[in-house]
Amino acid sequence: MGVKLPPIEKIHEAYSAIADGRVVLEDGKAEVSSSDFTKKYLVTWKENVYTSNDNASYWQGYLGYPILAVLMLQGKLSFDQEIAGYFQGINWKKLNTEYKNQFSEAVKKILTQFEADGLDCQKINAEINKVYHEIEGLEISTKRSSIRPPK
C-alpha cells in the first residue's frame, strides 16, 4: 500500500491536537479541531483506507496532522504522552501563517524555546523521527475525502 509522506513537522501538530483534546474518536470517524479552534476536520476510515478533509490530505495528498493524530490514538503510530504535553496549546495556524507555511521554521522556533526552557530536544527529535519512520511502513492507504476542506 504505502502513503505519501507528510512533512515531518506534521507529527508535531498531531501531538498538539492530541495534547489539546482536539481529537474526538467515534466508530469509523473522528472530528479534529484546528489549533485555533476555527475549523473542524473529518477523518474517516474503513479497514485500512483513510480520508480527511484537512487541506494537506485533500489538496496535497499526504497525511495531514488529523489523520496522523487518529493513527496515534489507534495505536498504529507511536505516541509519547510526555512529549505530547510539550506541544500543548501551540497555535499552529498562527505560527504557520507567520512563517508562510515554512513548517520547519515554525518548528525550529518552538524547539528553540523548548531548549531555552531546559527541555531535552534530542529526546523530542528522536521520538518524532521514530514516528516518521513508522509512517513509512504503515499498511494503510488514503483516498481523497468527498467533503471539501472548511473555509
Side-chain angles (χ1 to χ4, degrees):
M1 287 188 200
V3 294
K4 185 175 175 184
L5 292 173
I8 195 168
E9 296 82 11
K10 293 298 167 183
I11 298 168
H12 303 81
E13 291 186 44
Y15 268 107
S16 285
I18 296 169
D20 292 342
R22 295 186 280 116
V23 183
V24 179
L25 281 178
E26 296 177 24
D27 191 29
K29 67 180 180 177
E31 188 176 87
V32 182
S33 297
S34 62
S35 62
D36 63 359
F37 294 93
T38 60
K39 297 180 182 175
K40 291 189 186 290
Y41 303 111
L42 179 66
V43 177
T44 63
W45 61 91
K46 186 170 185 179
E47 295 167 7
N48 285 327
V49 179
Y50 288 75
T51 68
S52 177
N53 69 331
D54 66 280
N55 287 325
S57 300
Y58 190 88
W59 296 112
Q60 306 299 321
Y62 62 73
L63 296 178
Y65 78 86
I67 293 178
L68 294 173
V70 166
L71 291 166
M72 288 173 176
L73 290 172
Q74 290 176 329
K76 293 184 179 186
L77 290 175
S78 293
F79 177 73
D80 184 304
Q81 188 68 48
E82 178 187 358
I83 288 174
Y86 301 153
F87 291 98
Q88 189 168 0
I90 294 173
N91 185 334
W92 290 100
K93 176 70 175 154
K94 181 179 174 191
L95 266 176
N96 288 333
T97 299
E98 179 182 336
Y99 287 97
K100 298 176 176 48
N101 288 333
Q102 296 296 315
F103 306 126
S104 62
E105 293 302 312
V107 168
K108 192 183 299 179
K109 178 178 181 170
I110 291 166
L111 293 179
T112 300
Q113 183 60 52
F114 286 176
E115 283 178 348
D117 293 342
L119 297 179
D120 183 354
C121 287
Q122 283 187 321
K123 180 180 176 186
I124 294 168
N125 289 332
E127 180 65 21
I128 297 296
N129 285 318
K130 179 176 106 178
V131 173
Y132 195 73
H133 289 297
E134 290 173 358
I135 294 168
E136 294 175 317
L138 280 174
E139 293 294 323
I140 67 166
S141 61
T142 57
K143 281 184 8 186
R144 189 174 197 177
S145 176
S146 61
I147 303 168
R148 290 180 67 88
K151 294 198 184 284

